[in-house]
């Protein structure tokens, strides 16, 4: 994998429309310290919608596929500090930040560069921010559990698409166990966890019970059709669609999972309404 660095001119991207603005409590900004994702050559890279976005398509070199390069904003933390300071306290109290829409904050290179950790250290200087949702599928998040627990507005979003480790288009059984253990450890450390079944893959009948016992405070259920930003169009053009081996457009299993979690009294949302469903701190 090619690793390149550059100095960026901005880090916070205002959200004026689209997925993150669709829920009841929309996000105001997204941020990512990289173009490309080091998890792009794993199973999730087969259907990741971010490979179709300008953040990657305008940054890669000719012939590079998703997951073959990560272009890092080496001054991400410096920019974040400058932009948050310049915003002022009144604006920060209304900020709802999603990190990140296009790459995993704890992708493998994070253990070398620690850019997410540097950003968390910046956020610690601005406790008035309303919400910071850090979305990952990596158990490496445990490296920063203490820092997240100390941030008043921080939530950790952990992706867990299924409890089945026998799918050739899904996580291994080991990855599933590691993520569940990470969720439990994070919750025990005081981190607020939102568990995202996104996208919902084929799963066992006991999946809902497993989720409810995980320690997560909220849940999101999403599908390829609802969540890829094009009603399934991006997924249809991905390597995943050609080899899925099941009808991935059928939202029935995901709807049934949603209903079971809802019937159990869980705090839960569907697709965009779920991701942007964490109430403002003043309402919690």
């Amino acid at each position: 994998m090619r690793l390149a660095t550059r100095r960026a001119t901005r880090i916070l991207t205002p959200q004026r429309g689209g997925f993150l603005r669709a829920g009841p409590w929309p996000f105001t900004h997204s941020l990512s310290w990289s173009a490309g994702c080091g998890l792009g050559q794993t199973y999730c890279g087969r259907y990741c919608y971010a490979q179709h976005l300008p953040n990657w398509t305008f940054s890669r070199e000719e012939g590079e596929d998703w997951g073959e390069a990560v272009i890092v904003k080496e001054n991400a933390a410096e920019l974040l500090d400058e932009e948050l300071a310049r915003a002022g306290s009144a604006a920060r109290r209304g900020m709802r930040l999603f990190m990140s829409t296009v790459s995993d904050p704890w992708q493998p290179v994070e253990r070398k560069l620690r850019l997410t950790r540097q950003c968390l250290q910046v956020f610690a200087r601005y406790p008035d921010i309303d919400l910071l949702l850090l979305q990952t599928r990596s158990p490496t998040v445990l490296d920063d559990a203490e820092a997240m627990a100390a941030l008043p507005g921080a939530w950790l979003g952990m992706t867990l698409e299924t409890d089945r480790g026998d799918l050739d288009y899904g996580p291994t059984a080991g990855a599933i166990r590691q993520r569940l253990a990470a969720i439990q450890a994070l919750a025990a450390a005081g981190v607020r966890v939102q568990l995202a079944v996104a996208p919902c893959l084929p799963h066992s009948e006991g999946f809902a019970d497993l989720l409810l016992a995980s320690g997560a405070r909220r849940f999101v259920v999403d599908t390829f059709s609802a969540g890829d930003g094009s009603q399934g169009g991006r997924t249809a053009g991905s390597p995943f669609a050609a080899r899925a081996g099941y009808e991935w457009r059928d939202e029935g299993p995901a709807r049934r999972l949603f209903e079971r979690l809802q019937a159990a009294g869980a705090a839960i949302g569907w697709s965009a309404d779920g991701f942007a469903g964490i109430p403002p701190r003043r309402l919690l």
Side-chain angles (χ1 to χ4, degrees), residues 131-206:
L131 174 65
L132 169 64
L133 177 62
L134 299 120
Q135 189 68 38
T136 188
R137 63 182 69 243
S138 173
T140 304
V141 65
L142 287 172
D143 291 355
D144 296 302
E146 184 176 348
M148 282 185 290
L151 296 176
W155 282 71
L156 189 281
M158 177 65 82
T159 301
L160 187 68
E161 310 94 323
T162 178
D163 60 343
R164 288 179 52 184
D166 61 335
L167 307 174
D168 68 356
Y169 47 80
T172 64
I176 292 168
R177 288 194 300 270
Q178 289 171 359
R179 281 187 237 170
L180 281 169
I183 293 167
Q184 292 164 353
L186 289 163
V191 177
R192 293 166 288 273
V193 180
Q194 175 173 272
L195 198 159
V197 185
C200 183
L201 298 179
H203 51 269
S204 78
E205 284 297 314

Side-chain angles (χ1 to χ4, degrees), residues 113-129:
L113 301 179
R114 295 300 189 188
L115 288 174
T116 292
R117 178 171 293 178
Q118 292 174 32
C119 288
L120 290 174
Q121 291 167 349
V122 171
F123 283 123
R125 297 197 282 273
Y126 301 98
D128 47 2
I129 292 170

